[in-house]
Amino acid sequence: MERKMAPSLMCIDLMNIEHDLRILEKAKVDYLHVDIMDNHFVPNITLSFDFINELRKVTSIPLDIHLMINNPENSFHYLTNCSPEDIICIHYEATPHVHRALGMIKDIGAKVGIALNPGTPIGVIEDLLPDLDMVLIMTVDPGFAGQKLIPSTLDKIARLRNMLDESGYQHILIEVDGNVSFENAKLMHEKGANIYVGGSSSIFHKESSIIENCHKFREIIYS
C-alpha cells in the first residue's frame, strides 16, 4: 500500500524556511503540506497563495495544498503553476457547489482532493468518488496545530478505506491531518492511511532533528 510523508509547513521555522526545505529535500519527503486558512471557514489565518508562488521558486517537492477557506472555487485563479504531481484539496463543508469545484481543480491539472471535518460522515462523498484522487480525514477540528487526536476518527479512517475498496476505488488515497504523532501514525497506518501530514508532534518535534524525525516517521508508516 502506498505510504507518503507530507510535512506541514504550518509548523516549519518561517525565519529559516529555505534552510529547513533543504533538510526536507535531503530526507526525501513526498509532499509539502501547505495550509491556507481564511479566518472564516476556520478561526485562524496561516499561509497564503503568495507563499505557494514563492515556495515554487526554491523547491521541486510536490505540494499538497489544503484550502481551509470558504468558497475555494473563487480562489483557484491564484493557483496558476500547479503540476500533475501537486494535490489541491478543498473541504466538503466549504462550498455548496462541491462537484463544480472539484471539476475546476481537475481543469487546473492537479490531483483532486476533498477533506472531511471530524463531524462530517464519510457517506457524503459517495457520489464524488469518480472525481477524486485523495480524501483527507481531519483527525482534529481544523484551524490550529498542537491539538489532541479525536479518537473516533481512527475508526473513520478504517470505514473510509473499506468503503473505497468495496466500491472499486482502491486507487483513492487517504490522507490524515491532525496530531499525527509517532504514536498516532502507527494507529493510522493500521487503519489504512496513505498520506501523513506530520507537524509539531512528529516531523517538527523539537526533541530531535528533522532528519531524525523523518527517518523515525518513515520506519513507522512502512512497518
Side-chain angles (χ1 to χ4, degrees), residues 193-219:
N194 304 106
I195 305 175
Y196 301 77
V197 179
S200 58
S201 60
S202 54
I203 291 175
F204 295 105
H205 197 282
K206 298 299 184 182
E207 291 186 4
S208 301
S209 70
I210 292 175
I211 285 286
E212 291 169 332
N213 289 335
C214 285
H215 178 73
K216 181 177 180 179
F217 201 85
R218 185 173 278 110
E219 285 187 334

mmCIF file of all heavy atoms in Angstrom, residues 193-219:
data_model
loop_
_atom_site.group_PDB
_atom_site.id
_atom_site.type_symbol
_atom_site.label_atom_id
_atom_site.label_comp_id
_atom_site.label_asym_id
_atom_site.label_seq_id
_atom_site.Cartn_x
_atom_site.Cartn_y
_atom_site.Cartn_z
ATOM 1 N N ALA A 193 -4.382 4.415 6.383
ATOM 2 C CA ALA A 193 -4.000 5.727 5.846
ATOM 3 C C ALA A 193 -2.826 5.603 4.886
ATOM 4 O O ALA A 193 -1.997 4.696 5.001
ATOM 5 C CB ALA A 193 -3.641 6.672 6.989
ATOM 6 N N ASN A 194 -2.748 6.562 3.942
ATOM 7 C CA ASN A 194 -1.680 6.565 2.929
ATOM 8 C C ASN A 194 -0.749 7.764 3.030
ATOM 9 O O ASN A 194 0.458 7.626 2.875
ATOM 10 C CB ASN A 194 -2.287 6.556 1.517
ATOM 11 C CG ASN A 194 -3.217 5.402 1.277
ATOM 12 O OD1 ASN A 194 -4.428 5.581 1.241
ATOM 13 N ND2 ASN A 194 -2.671 4.200 1.124
ATOM 14 N N ILE A 195 -1.299 8.954 3.244
ATOM 15 C CA ILE A 195 -0.510 10.184 3.296
ATOM 16 C C ILE A 195 -0.628 10.759 4.700
ATOM 17 O O ILE A 195 -1.735 10.916 5.227
ATOM 18 C CB ILE A 195 -0.997 11.214 2.261
ATOM 19 C CG1 ILE A 195 -1.016 10.611 0.853
ATOM 20 C CG2 ILE A 195 -0.103 12.460 2.277
ATOM 21 C CD1 ILE A 195 -1.610 11.527 -0.205
ATOM 22 N N TYR A 196 0.527 11.091 5.292
ATOM 23 C CA TYR A 196 0.560 11.517 6.688
ATOM 24 C C TYR A 196 1.086 12.942 6.787
ATOM 25 O O TYR A 196 2.223 13.219 6.406
ATOM 26 C CB TYR A 196 1.456 10.580 7.495
ATOM 27 C CG TYR A 196 1.012 9.134 7.470
ATOM 28 C CD1 TYR A 196 1.261 8.330 6.355
ATOM 29 C CD2 TYR A 196 0.335 8.572 8.544
ATOM 30 C CE1 TYR A 196 0.849 7.005 6.317
ATOM 31 C CE2 TYR A 196 -0.076 7.249 8.518
ATOM 32 C CZ TYR A 196 0.177 6.472 7.406
ATOM 33 O OH TYR A 196 -0.238 5.154 7.363
ATOM 34 N N VAL A 197 0.248 13.838 7.309
ATOM 35 C CA VAL A 197 0.649 15.229 7.499
ATOM 36 C C VAL A 197 1.340 15.329 8.858
ATOM 37 O O VAL A 197 0.689 15.293 9.906
ATOM 38 C CB VAL A 197 -0.559 16.177 7.425
ATOM 39 C CG1 VAL A 197 -0.100 17.619 7.641
ATOM 40 C CG2 VAL A 197 -1.264 16.040 6.077
ATOM 41 N N GLY A 198 2.660 15.441 8.841
ATOM 42 C CA GLY A 198 3.432 15.473 10.073
ATOM 43 C C GLY A 198 3.744 16.897 10.496
ATOM 44 O O GLY A 198 4.241 17.692 9.702
ATOM 45 N N GLY A 199 3.455 17.204 11.761
ATOM 46 C CA GLY A 199 3.693 18.554 12.255
ATOM 47 C C GLY A 199 4.521 18.578 13.511
ATOM 48 O O GLY A 199 5.537 17.902 13.626
ATOM 49 N N SER A 200 4.047 19.329 14.503
ATOM 50 C CA SER A 200 4.828 19.567 15.715
ATOM 51 C C SER A 200 4.986 18.338 16.591
ATOM 52 O O SER A 200 5.871 18.298 17.452
ATOM 53 C CB SER A 200 4.187 20.700 16.528
ATOM 54 O OG SER A 200 2.839 20.378 16.861
ATOM 55 N N SER A 201 4.136 17.330 16.404
ATOM 56 C CA SER A 201 4.225 16.127 17.227
ATOM 57 C C SER A 201 5.030 15.014 16.567
ATOM 58 O O SER A 201 5.138 13.918 17.125
ATOM 59 C CB SER A 201 2.824 15.611 17.576
ATOM 60 O OG SER A 201 2.097 15.301 16.405
ATOM 61 N N SER A 202 5.601 15.284 15.380
ATOM 62 C CA SER A 202 6.390 14.243 14.721
ATOM 63 C C SER A 202 7.549 14.853 13.922
ATOM 64 O O SER A 202 8.655 15.014 14.444
ATOM 65 C CB SER A 202 5.498 13.367 13.821
ATOM 66 O OG SER A 202 4.754 14.157 12.903
ATOM 67 N N ILE A 203 7.320 15.234 12.681
ATOM 68 C CA ILE A 203 8.416 15.670 11.816
ATOM 69 C C ILE A 203 9.121 16.908 12.356
ATOM 70 O O ILE A 203 10.345 17.043 12.243
ATOM 71 C CB ILE A 203 7.901 15.893 10.383
ATOM 72 C CG1 ILE A 203 7.529 14.537 9.766
ATOM 73 C CG2 ILE A 203 8.962 16.591 9.519
ATOM 74 C CD1 ILE A 203 6.905 14.620 8.396
ATOM 75 N N PHE A 204 8.369 17.820 12.975
ATOM 76 C CA PHE A 204 8.973 19.038 13.520
ATOM 77 C C PHE A 204 9.066 18.994 15.053
ATOM 78 O O PHE A 204 9.142 20.038 15.694
ATOM 79 C CB PHE A 204 8.183 20.266 13.056
ATOM 80 C CG PHE A 204 8.247 20.488 11.573
ATOM 81 C CD1 PHE A 204 7.160 20.176 10.764
ATOM 82 C CD2 PHE A 204 9.398 20.973 10.970
ATOM 83 C CE1 PHE A 204 7.210 20.361 9.389
ATOM 84 C CE2 PHE A 204 9.461 21.173 9.599
ATOM 85 C CZ PHE A 204 8.370 20.863 8.809
ATOM 86 N N HIS A 205 9.085 17.792 15.607
ATOM 87 C CA HIS A 205 9.214 17.646 17.053
ATOM 88 C C HIS A 205 10.574 18.180 17.502
ATOM 89 O O HIS A 205 11.607 17.881 16.894
ATOM 90 C CB HIS A 205 9.068 16.180 17.454
ATOM 91 C CG HIS A 205 8.778 15.981 18.911
ATOM 92 N ND1 HIS A 205 9.739 16.068 19.879
ATOM 93 C CD2 HIS A 205 7.605 15.702 19.546
ATOM 94 C CE1 HIS A 205 9.194 15.846 21.068
ATOM 95 N NE2 HIS A 205 7.907 15.628 20.903
ATOM 96 N N LYS A 206 10.563 18.972 18.566
ATOM 97 C CA LYS A 206 11.762 19.705 18.967
ATOM 98 C C LYS A 206 12.836 18.837 19.619
ATOM 99 O O LYS A 206 13.990 19.268 19.731
ATOM 100 C CB LYS A 206 11.379 20.838 19.931
ATOM 101 C CG LYS A 206 10.437 21.884 19.335
ATOM 102 C CD LYS A 206 11.053 22.573 18.133
ATOM 103 C CE LYS A 206 10.141 23.681 17.599
ATOM 104 N NZ LYS A 206 10.703 24.340 16.395
ATOM 105 N N GLU A 207 12.502 17.638 20.050
ATOM 106 C CA GLU A 207 13.470 16.818 20.772
ATOM 107 C C GLU A 207 14.506 16.175 19.859
ATOM 108 O O GLU A 207 15.547 15.697 20.332
ATOM 109 C CB GLU A 207 12.750 15.747 21.588
ATOM 110 C CG GLU A 207 11.967 16.309 22.769
ATOM 111 C CD GLU A 207 11.372 15.231 23.641
ATOM 112 O OE1 GLU A 207 11.635 14.039 23.370
ATOM 113 O OE2 GLU A 207 10.652 15.574 24.602
ATOM 114 N N SER A 208 14.239 16.133 18.553
ATOM 115 C CA SER A 208 15.182 15.535 17.593
ATOM 116 C C SER A 208 15.242 16.404 16.350
ATOM 117 O O SER A 208 14.420 17.312 16.164
ATOM 118 C CB SER A 208 14.759 14.107 17.222
ATOM 119 O OG SER A 208 14.689 13.281 18.364
ATOM 120 N N SER A 209 16.196 16.116 15.485
ATOM 121 C CA SER A 209 16.333 16.883 14.246
ATOM 122 C C SER A 209 15.262 16.465 13.243
ATOM 123 O O SER A 209 14.651 15.392 13.367
ATOM 124 C CB SER A 209 17.717 16.650 13.641
ATOM 125 O OG SER A 209 17.818 15.324 13.141
ATOM 126 N N ILE A 210 15.039 17.300 12.243
ATOM 127 C CA ILE A 210 14.075 16.976 11.199
ATOM 128 C C ILE A 210 14.457 15.681 10.496
ATOM 129 O O ILE A 210 13.607 14.821 10.230
ATOM 130 C CB ILE A 210 13.957 18.139 10.189
ATOM 131 C CG1 ILE A 210 13.315 19.360 10.853
ATOM 132 C CG2 ILE A 210 13.138 17.719 8.968
ATOM 133 C CD1 ILE A 210 13.276 20.589 9.966
ATOM 134 N N ILE A 211 15.742 15.498 10.216
ATOM 135 C CA ILE A 211 16.213 14.279 9.549
ATOM 136 C C ILE A 211 15.912 13.058 10.404
ATOM 137 O O ILE A 211 15.399 12.036 9.915
ATOM 138 C CB ILE A 211 17.720 14.370 9.251
ATOM 139 C CG1 ILE A 211 17.977 15.312 8.071
ATOM 140 C CG2 ILE A 211 18.294 12.985 8.942
ATOM 141 C CD1 ILE A 211 17.613 14.755 6.703
ATOM 142 N N GLU A 212 16.227 13.141 11.677
ATOM 143 C CA GLU A 212 15.976 12.010 12.583
ATOM 144 C C GLU A 212 14.488 11.721 12.691
ATOM 145 O O GLU A 212 14.057 10.557 12.682
ATOM 146 C CB GLU A 212 16.556 12.314 13.963
ATOM 147 C CG GLU A 212 18.075 12.335 14.010
ATOM 148 C CD GLU A 212 18.620 12.886 15.318
ATOM 149 O OE1 GLU A 212 17.935 13.722 15.961
ATOM 150 O OE2 GLU A 212 19.727 12.475 15.695
ATOM 151 N N ASN A 213 13.693 12.773 12.784
ATOM 152 C CA ASN A 213 12.245 12.587 12.879
ATOM 153 C C ASN A 213 11.671 11.962 11.613
ATOM 154 O O ASN A 213 10.788 11.098 11.687
ATOM 155 C CB ASN A 213 11.568 13.927 13.161
ATOM 156 C CG ASN A 213 11.829 14.437 14.567
ATOM 157 O OD1 ASN A 213 12.110 13.667 15.475
ATOM 158 N ND2 ASN A 213 11.726 15.746 14.743
ATOM 159 N N CYS A 214 12.144 12.394 10.454
ATOM 160 C CA CYS A 214 11.663 11.824 9.185
ATOM 161 C C CYS A 214 12.029 10.345 9.090
ATOM 162 O O CYS A 214 11.230 9.520 8.617
ATOM 163 C CB CYS A 214 12.241 12.594 8.006
ATOM 164 S SG CYS A 214 11.489 14.213 7.723
ATOM 165 N N HIS A 215 13.220 10.011 9.527
ATOM 166 C CA HIS A 215 13.651 8.610 9.500
ATOM 167 C C HIS A 215 12.759 7.764 10.404
ATOM 168 O O HIS A 215 12.292 6.678 10.002
ATOM 169 C CB HIS A 215 15.114 8.508 9.942
ATOM 170 C CG HIS A 215 15.620 7.095 9.990
ATOM 171 N ND1 HIS A 215 15.885 6.356 8.848
ATOM 172 C CD2 HIS A 215 15.892 6.272 11.050
ATOM 173 C CE1 HIS A 215 16.307 5.152 9.188
ATOM 174 N NE2 HIS A 215 16.322 5.074 10.513
ATOM 175 N N LYS A 216 12.495 8.262 11.607
ATOM 176 C CA LYS A 216 11.636 7.536 12.544
ATOM 177 C C LYS A 216 10.215 7.419 12.000
ATOM 178 O O LYS A 216 9.583 6.355 12.084
ATOM 179 C CB LYS A 216 11.631 8.257 13.895
ATOM 180 C CG LYS A 216 10.792 7.574 14.968
ATOM 181 C CD LYS A 216 10.899 8.328 16.294
ATOM 182 C CE LYS A 216 10.067 7.646 17.386
ATOM 183 N NZ LYS A 216 10.186 8.367 18.684
ATOM 184 N N PHE A 217 9.728 8.490 11.401
ATOM 185 C CA PHE A 217 8.370 8.504 10.849
ATOM 186 C C PHE A 217 8.243 7.497 9.713
ATOM 187 O O PHE A 217 7.270 6.744 9.633
ATOM 188 C CB PHE A 217 8.054 9.911 10.353
ATOM 189 C CG PHE A 217 6.584 10.205 10.238
ATOM 190 C CD1 PHE A 217 5.863 10.634 11.331
ATOM 191 C CD2 PHE A 217 5.924 10.073 9.031
ATOM 192 C CE1 PHE A 217 4.501 10.909 11.245
ATOM 193 C CE2 PHE A 217 4.582 10.350 8.915
ATOM 194 C CZ PHE A 217 3.868 10.770 10.027
ATOM 195 N N ARG A 218 9.250 7.478 8.841
ATOM 196 C CA ARG A 218 9.223 6.552 7.711
ATOM 197 C C ARG A 218 9.231 5.102 8.182
ATOM 198 O O ARG A 218 8.537 4.237 7.613
ATOM 199 C CB ARG A 218 10.412 6.837 6.774
ATOM 200 C CG ARG A 218 10.385 5.986 5.507
ATOM 201 C CD ARG A 218 11.460 6.389 4.530
ATOM 202 N NE ARG A 218 11.061 7.533 3.724
ATOM 203 C CZ ARG A 218 11.585 8.739 3.825
ATOM 204 N NH1 ARG A 218 12.535 8.980 4.717
ATOM 205 N NH2 ARG A 218 11.176 9.716 3.050
ATOM 206 N N GLU A 219 9.992 4.801 9.213
ATOM 207 C CA GLU A 219 10.020 3.448 9.756
ATOM 208 C C GLU A 219 8.638 3.025 10.248
ATOM 209 O O GLU A 219 8.239 1.856 10.086
ATOM 210 C CB GLU A 219 11.027 3.349 10.898
ATOM 211 C CG GLU A 219 12.482 3.324 10.461
ATOM 212 C CD GLU A 219 13.424 3.053 11.607
ATOM 213 O OE1 GLU A 219 13.043 3.377 12.771
ATOM 214 O OE2 GLU A 219 14.520 2.538 11.381
#
